[in-house]
Amino acid sequence: MNLRPITLLLIFLCYSFILSCKNDSKENIVTENRNKPKIVNIVNFIRELEPRDENITKDVLYQTVVNQIDIMKKHDLGGTFLLQYDALVDERYQKLLKGLPKGTFEIGAWWEIPQPLVEKAGLEWRGRFPWDWHPDVGFSTGYTPEEREKLVDVYMEDFKAAFGYYPKSVASWFIDTHTLNYLYENYKIVASANCKDQFGTDGYTLWGGYWNQAYYPSKINSYMPAQNEENQIPVPIFRMLGSDPIRQYDTGLERERQGVITLEPVYQDGGGNETWVNWYLQEFINGESMEFAYTQAGQENSFTWEGMKKGFEIQMPVLAKLRDQGKIKIETLEASGKWFSETYKTTPATSVTVENDLPGSDLKTVWFNSRFYRANILWEDGTLRFRDIHLFDENIPSPYLHNKLESNQALFFTQPIVDGYLWSTSKELAGLKINYTLDGKTMSLKGGIPKISNPEAGKLQIRWPLESKEGTLVLNMDEKEMQITIDGADQLDWFLDLTTPKDSKELPFETIQKKSISSIFQENSYIINALEGQFSVPSEDVVFRISPENNVIKLDFSER
């Protein structure tokens, strides 16, 4: 009997099976990546004039946009250009932007309010210049709800006259709820964007919100994520600028305003630094995001091409390469808004993760977001600290819902449980720390490299191997609850302590009971409950302690 044909057949079948397995494995990887897209919007917004610097002329601003378009086309990159009204009615910008390929590029609205728009709407201009950046003049918060509608109608009709359609994306550093809802109901916009979290920068504060990514806002508060579909405006708001997940939060402690460490090309500690850009984008791609990762590149033309050229020339080829490798998806803000609305009925739980910091640093962080709360964990020198926990409540109205802003400071907040920025000093940091007692002494637990995963939809798990004691701290978060246990460390007396500097700002906690903490912030009350574990105040040096029951701490952040 000749076995050679049978042998060859078996070899062929084995090879086919192995190849099939490889293809299946490859398909699984592709499917996983497709289910967790890494979305980049390149957004450039356009003003016609810049009164803060006489050297920044209308021609300088125009040529900045020309150069932005040229470098994006050079690398076959599309994006979104948002027009402030003064630029919208400038025929040069109309001609320039009409020449862009449709589908690849999007033209939308930048919602700052200049003098020509105000006067065409029949209102009185109160600004110091034809465009005034103060939030009581240059933003919709400075106008009554009826005036806001007039401003929208004028802008939309002139946009349609210029481009033949209404814009689908309207963004601003911050946009009031009434305007956003009016834009949705009357002009069917599909996407918006607002500024990253910041304190005091440029005269406006956004603090404690859904960190990065995107969320559906409450119908009565555009900064506050809604908890229920019936109470949300169905227009996702994307967070702008691409904040450094580690350094942006703490920058500027004890100062009136924060600095800026973002993907913006003008900043040499961020988007204008090649090392930082490559690090940021690698963590963006590789970090656990649960549902999707999002960042925004691009720059306002007020910074001029001279200011942003270096950063653009660093970023655009890197973004093009990552797109060609299938690692990121570059699309317009409109496309991202449509995808979000088609994919999510309510705001999803997401995360932003850094497991490998810049060269020379071992810092690691996780931002967890849901429609109920956000939390941030920072690892430093082998210790773990909850740097931030804020709660969201769709029933808290914005102070600008019915009233116009009367000062040059706009303030947007959520409800703090832990605030490692506002409650810290430059010498002493506030935070909720994992501690234990040994021989009557309280010490911080120390550990190794955390493993961060998304074991199932809507859940984030962190496993942190301990070094102080044998065992592993296991932290599970979902959209409503947080649970902490320690595996394999019998008889360990562990707990969480919130500590703040003695001279920190007034804290919101009203009553600390065994199973709940009741708080008031800006006249709005809120509560957290311990489903397992209990609260106490063990000493004057500790604001509150959370101790486990049967080795479990389980907190509920969903009660309102």
Side-chain angles (χ1 to χ4, degrees):
M1 181 179 180
N2 186 357
L3 296 178
R4 190 168 182 271
I6 296 175
T7 302
L8 291 173
L9 177 61
L10 289 172
I11 292 171
F12 173 78
L13 291 173
C14 289
Y15 176 79
S16 298
F17 176 77
I18 292 169
L19 184 62
S20 174
C21 289
K22 286 184 176 180
N23 288 336
D24 286 345
S25 176
K26 183 177 181 181
E27 180 61 27
N28 287 337
I29 292 172
V30 171
T31 300
E32 182 179 352
N33 288 338
R34 186 165 60 243
N35 289 338
K36 296 183 180 181
K38 315 295 184 181
I39 299 170
V40 179
N41 293 158
I42 303 174
V43 178
N44 303 297
F45 56 91
I46 304 171
R47 302 186 180 106
E48 189 202 31
L49 54 85
E50 176 47 79
R52 292 171 290 189
D53 187 340
E54 63 181 11
N55 295 314
I56 304 178
T57 64
K58 290 184 179 182
D59 285 339
V60 168
L61 293 170
Y62 177 79
Q63 288 303 320
T64 297
V65 181
V66 170
N67 284 313
Q68 288 174 329
I69 291 172
D70 286 347
I71 194 169
M72 291 171 71
K73 283 185 172 180
K74 176 182 177 181
H75 296 285
D76 195 25
L77 294 167
T80 296
F81 284 89
L82 303 175
L83 287 162
Q84 189 168 285
Y85 183 80
D86 52 4
L88 167 64
V89 295
D90 186 320
E91 292 184 358
R92 286 198 302 175
Y93 286 113
Q94 292 180 17
K95 182 179 179 181
L96 177 66
L97 298 178
K98 284 179 181 179
L100 297 177
K102 293 182 179 180
T104 304
F105 287 90
E106 173 196 10
I107 314 303
W110 179 251
W111 206 247
E112 290 184 60
I113 314 299
Q115 184 174 358
L117 176 57
V118 170
E119 292 181 342
K120 189 165 184 181
L123 307 175
E124 179 185 357
W125 177 246
R126 296 174 279 110
R128 300 164 296 167
F129 314 100
W131 168 64
D132 190 332
W133 53 93
H134 280 183
D136 57 331
V137 175
F139 292 85
S140 55
T141 47
Y143 301 84
T144 68
E146 294 77 15
E147 291 171 339
R148 297 169 199 174
E149 293 179 9
K150 291 179 181 179
L151 294 169
V152 168
D153 290 339
V154 168
Y155 185 101
M156 287 297 185
E157 290 310 312
D158 284 353
F159 189 101
K160 187 175 183 181
F163 293 98
Y165 57 88
Y166 294 128
K168 293 298 183 182
S169 298
V170 180
S172 179
W173 292 131
F174 53 94
I175 189 166
D176 76 275
T177 312
H178 185 88
T179 295
L180 187 65
N181 202 44
Y182 188 78
L183 284 163
Y184 167 70
E185 291 182 345
N186 293 275
Y187 297 98
K188 307 305 178 187
I189 68 166
V190 301
S192 187
N194 66 5
C195 187
K196 66 173 176 58
D197 261 30
Q198 63 177 32
F199 193 86
T201 311
D202 298 321
Y204 33 93
T205 290
L206 298 89
W207 198 252
Y210 196 98
W211 202 88
N212 209 62
Q213 319 302 62
Y215 66 96
Y216 288 121
S218 161
K219 286 182 178 179
I220 60 173
N221 191 333
S222 57
Y223 183 62
M224 187 77 72
Q227 284 75 61
N228 298 285
E229 187 175 2
E230 62 270 22
N231 294 328
Q232 69 189 20
I233 300 174
V235 176
I237 296 180
F238 292 83
R239 304 306 302 272
M240 300 175 67
L241 307 182
S243 290
D244 184 316
I246 290 177
R247 278 159 285 274
Q248 177 60 53
Y249 184 85
D250 284 330
T251 184
L253 282 174
E254 294 191 285
R255 299 177 185 173
E256 290 185 1
R257 63 178 68 95
Q258 284 190 312
V260 181
I261 308 174
T262 67
L263 193 57
E264 293 171 273
V266 295
Y267 292 113
Q268 294 309 303
D269 291 332
N273 181 292
E274 186 171 7
T275 299
W276 188 94
V277 168
N278 287 323
W279 163 78
Y280 177 86
L281 291 173
Q282 284 305 306
E283 292 303 303
F284 172 76
I285 292 166
N286 297 326
E288 178 58 66
S289 60
M290 298 179 66
E291 287 291 324
F292 70 99
Y294 175 82
T295 196
Q296 181 220 78
Q299 191 79 68
E300 62 203 274
N301 64 337
S302 292
F303 279 104
T304 76
W305 184 244
E306 181 181 356
M308 69 183 74
K309 179 177 183 290
K310 176 185 174 183
F312 254 85
E313 290 178 343
I314 290 169
Q315 291 185 28
M316 294 303 111
V318 174
L319 292 173
K321 181 179 179 180
L322 293 173
R323 174 208 55 198
D324 293 344
Q325 293 173 341
K327 294 181 178 180
I328 64 173
K329 184 178 184 181
I330 296 177
E331 61 187 15
T332 63
L333 183 57
E334 175 188 355
S336 296
K338 288 180 176 178
W339 168 82
F340 190 96
S341 297
E342 291 167 357
T343 306
Y344 304 110
K345 289 185 177 180
T346 56
T347 301
T350 64
S351 58
V352 178
T353 304
V354 172
E355 296 192 58
N356 298 285
D357 198 10
L358 287 163
S361 171
D362 67 347
L363 297 176
K364 307 175 191 304
T365 198
V366 171
W367 286 91
F368 175 86
N369 302 280
S370 80
R371 55 194 167 125
F372 292 92
Y373 72 102
R374 81 176 193 185
N376 176 239
I377 301 168
L378 184 73
W379 286 268
E380 183 175 14
D381 297 328
T383 65
L384 181 158
R385 172 169 63 103
F386 283 90
R387 193 165 52 163
D388 185 280
I389 302 175
H390 278 73
L391 307 187
F392 306 143
D393 186 349
E394 64 189 10
N395 297 310
I396 296 176
S398 167
Y400 319 117
L401 179 61
H402 301 299
N403 303 309
K404 68 178 185 178
L405 177 66
E406 300 287 356
S407 75
N408 63 0
Q409 293 288 324
L411 305 174
F412 301 86
F413 289 100
T414 62
Q415 310 305 93
I417 298 296
V418 179
D419 196 317
Y421 178 75
L422 292 182
W423 300 349
S424 293
T425 66
S426 58
K427 295 180 179 179
E428 186 178 353
L429 300 177
L432 187 62
K433 302 169 186 176
I434 305 280
N435 294 334
Y436 73 107
T437 57
L438 181 66
D439 298 330
K441 295 181 180 180
T442 298
M443 295 173 285
S444 294
L445 273 175
K446 290 202 168 184
I449 298 173
K451 181 180 180 182
I452 303 158
S453 65
N454 175 212
E456 58 183 281
K459 296 186 183 295
L460 185 73
Q461 183 177 90
I462 299 170
R463 298 185 64 86
W464 185 42
L466 301 180
E467 295 177 350
S468 303
K469 290 283 187 177
E470 289 186 4
T472 300
L473 183 143
V474 181
L475 170 62
N476 288 291
M477 288 184 278
D478 63 28
E479 66 172 12
K480 294 182 178 181
E481 299 173 358
M482 175 189 299
Q483 178 175 297
I484 305 173
T485 62
I486 294 183
D487 294 343
D490 296 337
Q491 307 303 315
L492 179 64
D493 182 17
W494 65 276
F495 42 84
L496 279 69
D497 279 349
L498 175 64
T499 57
T500 65
K502 293 187 182 301
D503 56 350
S504 66
K505 295 186 177 181
E506 183 178 352
L507 302 180
F509 310 113
E510 291 287 296
T511 59
I512 298 173
Q513 299 177 316
K514 183 177 180 180
K515 283 293 185 178
S516 66
I517 296 179
S518 299
S519 306
I520 295 179
F521 179 72
Q522 294 187 330
E523 300 182 355
N524 295 296
S525 61
Y526 53 105
I527 190 171
I528 61 170
N529 293 312
L531 303 180
E532 297 185 64
Q534 59 186 34
F535 301 106
S536 64
V537 182
S539 71
E540 64 179 11
D541 296 326
V542 177
V543 178
F544 63 76
R545 172 172 291 177
I546 314 174
S547 302
E549 292 177 329
N550 299 317
N551 196 40
V552 178
I553 290 174
K554 189 173 185 179
L555 304 178
D556 177 15
F557 297 132
S558 66
E559 185 173 333
R560 298 292 179 265

